[in-house]
Amino acid sequence: MPLTRSKSLPATENGGSDSGRSVAGILYKWTNYGKGWRSRWFLLRDGILSYSKIRRPENVNLLSPSDDVKLIGDISTDRFSRMKSCSGRSRRKHHKTIGIVHLKVSSYRESKSDHRKFYIFTATKTLHLRTDSRSDRAACSSPVNQWGVSFVSPKDLFISTERLKKRLLEEGMNESLVTECEQIVDSEFSEVQEQIKLLHEERTKLLDVLRQLEMANLEAETSGIHDNVYHLRNHKYSSLGRGKYSECSTSASSDDKQEFEDISEEDEASFHDTKESFSEPDVGSVYTHFKRRTKLPDPAEKERGVSLWSMIKDNVGKDLTRVCLPVYFNEPISSLQKCFEDLEYSYLLDQAYEYGKSGNSLLRALNVAAFAVSGYASTEGRHCKPFNPLLGETYEADFPEKGIRFFSEKVSHHPTVIACHCEGKGWKFWGDTNLRSKFWGRSIQLEPVGILTLEFDDGEIFQWSKVTTTIYNILLGKLYCDHHGIMQIRGNCQYSCTLKFKEQSILDRNPHQVNGFVEDVTGKKAATVFGKWNDSLYYVAGDGLNKASASLLWKATKPPPNVTRYNLTSFAMSLNELTPGLQEKLPPTDSRLRPDQRHLENGEYEKANEEKQRLERRQRMSRQIQESGWRPRWFEPQGESESYKYTGGYWEARDDKSWDDCPNIFGEFTEEVVDCA
């Protein structure tokens, strides 16, 4: 068989190539399940695909008749004819560009079930597009493929020497010489494969960097995208990473924000059937993007200083979860919400899923290791304790911009156990944590007990436990925390990982170090990992002797400009936010509805302290409630392992607002209510 390669670019009607021309016209873009397919004016020029919202097709006037542009679609052709006849009498109407895609760092795929559909993939987003006909899709595919990144993998390339061998034998050559010729061909092809492999790795690294840049810019303002595409072409990628022309604009619903005018009912005649659903669920999901807050409310009161030593001096050697401290030592999030902080860099699991799906099991394991480390980055400078949830308290996090849904519940009061479950793009993550803490005079030691499980859709599973955390200088000096111990990330397939969090010494000038390695099932080291849990993680192939050739796996986001005394990250600041319309959907057990926590966030310290003392009365009754036969609502224990697993049903109940069996745990209560519970 001959050497296989990526498909060739479609030819134009006259037999030439459209690669040098621009393409413009009206395509149909999937927005959401409420609005379905919407018409958009698209322009592909110099590797940049831009699109604009239009009110009426007959009003489109984005091109000059002198532009060398191939038009697609009947509406586009008809309109362009009218533009030629009216070019001298009317001014061109200005249309605001609402989406820009850089095709040099994107991929293209045609639908197998519909000859009009195709998809454009950026590092983190997917555009769902549809033309009027198969020929229009072919006209689009040629220039898009010219600029886009191919899906071809080195594993897809092979060569057969059967025809060569047969021909040489027919010419009378002896078999040993034919075999030698075959070996020469195989050797030459192996070199070609190695070169393609290097190019493929470079392409993968480029997409990884772009993914990190895009995730760092998800909160950037995307509504001010300029429609001066000529200016953008001159500056190429100079704005990548600053959010000005962020690829966030390629979201499947980013052009439906409120700042853009709605399409009138008269436009509906030109739309395709909005009831049509996708038959290919693997191409991503749509969501409505909104900006999450990046700062906490300004405090309503002035804080007063409280001595920590005066509160805990009589509790040396005791479990601090049983010590009642004033609200001044809390940060305005609960332990349920803090569990979700581990998912801040969930894109690492998205990457791990894609690597495994493409056959790169090593990079999957490395990205899982990076994810396990990244959860500690948010602890830097965090000196306040989260709120201890009430028994039955819950927290949900629906982050469609990250492609994840998270849910957690306090399932046991004695011992204190929090269970969580998260679903992402091709993976599920769950676990439960029992945090044992002890005070030793000058330090507090936190010992997590529990197993975290990550399962990919293809069946590969990784499991690990967290390392020990110690908070130092409780009495004198600068307060700081450190994480130390061995983390074993066990995989059920080809690779596992061992990470050592180095304990910081008094004279250590290079703190926060993490070192480790990934090994295969035979115990052979496949890669070496090193970095810092508060900053970044790198890897090199093999035993890691040549660290100069290290590749970046993960980089922590920069601290927010609006720093508070809690030192929350931008991500953490968004966790307790009641976004518009959310409160009506939440169960009465959600942490966002907890009054003492809400008062603390608002800087109402006296009210927060009063509410905390009131709720702690209920907290002290929790053991009695639990021993009376209480059971978690959304999780159940798994046999004798005492681990908890999500039973399902929460998001369905949320859709129906069916919370009849969820008690108002933050409301008023009496001893009789507790007995009844």
Side-chain angles (χ1 to χ4, degrees), residues 356 361 364 454-456 458-462 492-495:
S361 300
R364 169 176 282 190
L454 170 67
E455 181 178 4
F456 293 99
D458 55 21
E460 187 165 13
I461 297 175
F462 292 91
N492 70 335
C493 292
Q494 188 174 357
Y495 293 104

Side-chain angles (χ1 to χ4, degrees), residues 1-3 159-171 178 182 185:
M1 292 179 62
L3 175 66
I159 192 171
S160 172
T161 57
E162 287 301 317
R163 290 176 59 193
L164 175 64
K165 180 179 179 180
K166 181 180 179 181
R167 185 74 182 89
L168 293 177
L169 291 174
E170 289 175 352
E171 291 294 324
V178 171
E182 282 186 295
V185 172

Side-chain angles (χ1 to χ4, degrees), residues 426-542:
W427 53 267
K428 294 179 181 178
F429 173 78
W430 70 87
D432 51 68
T433 301
N434 173 14
L435 193 65
R436 298 172 183 171
S437 62
K438 287 196 175 179
F439 171 53
W440 298 113
R442 292 184 295 179
S443 65
I444 298 174
Q445 185 170 304
L446 307 174
E447 202 72 54
V449 179
I451 296 176
L452 302 175
T453 301
L454 170 67
E455 181 178 4
F456 293 99
D457 285 358
D458 55 21
E460 187 165 13
I461 297 175
F462 292 91
Q463 290 185 317
W464 67 93
S465 297
K466 291 202 163 190
V467 297
T468 301
T469 296
T470 303
I471 303 173
Y472 297 95
N473 294 340
I474 298 297
L475 304 180
L476 297 173
K478 184 179 179 181
L479 203 67
Y480 70 95
C481 77
D482 189 32
H483 310 289
H484 50 90
I486 303 295
M487 177 183 287
Q488 296 280 356
I489 304 176
R490 298 170 295 277
N492 70 335
C493 292
Q494 188 174 357
Y495 293 104
S496 294
C497 181
T498 301
L499 297 173
K500 180 180 180 181
F501 288 67
K502 182 182 177 183
E503 187 171 6
Q504 183 176 345
S505 63
I506 298 177
L507 301 177
D508 196 346
R509 295 183 179 181
N510 192 21
H512 312 143
Q513 289 188 59
V514 179
N515 296 282
F517 54 88
V518 174
E519 61 182 6
D520 61 21
V521 290
T522 66
K524 180 182 178 181
K525 285 186 180 180
T528 301
V529 180
F530 61 94
K532 295 187 175 185
W533 54 258
N534 68 326
D535 181 69
S536 55
L537 200 68
Y538 296 83
Y539 81 94
V540 291

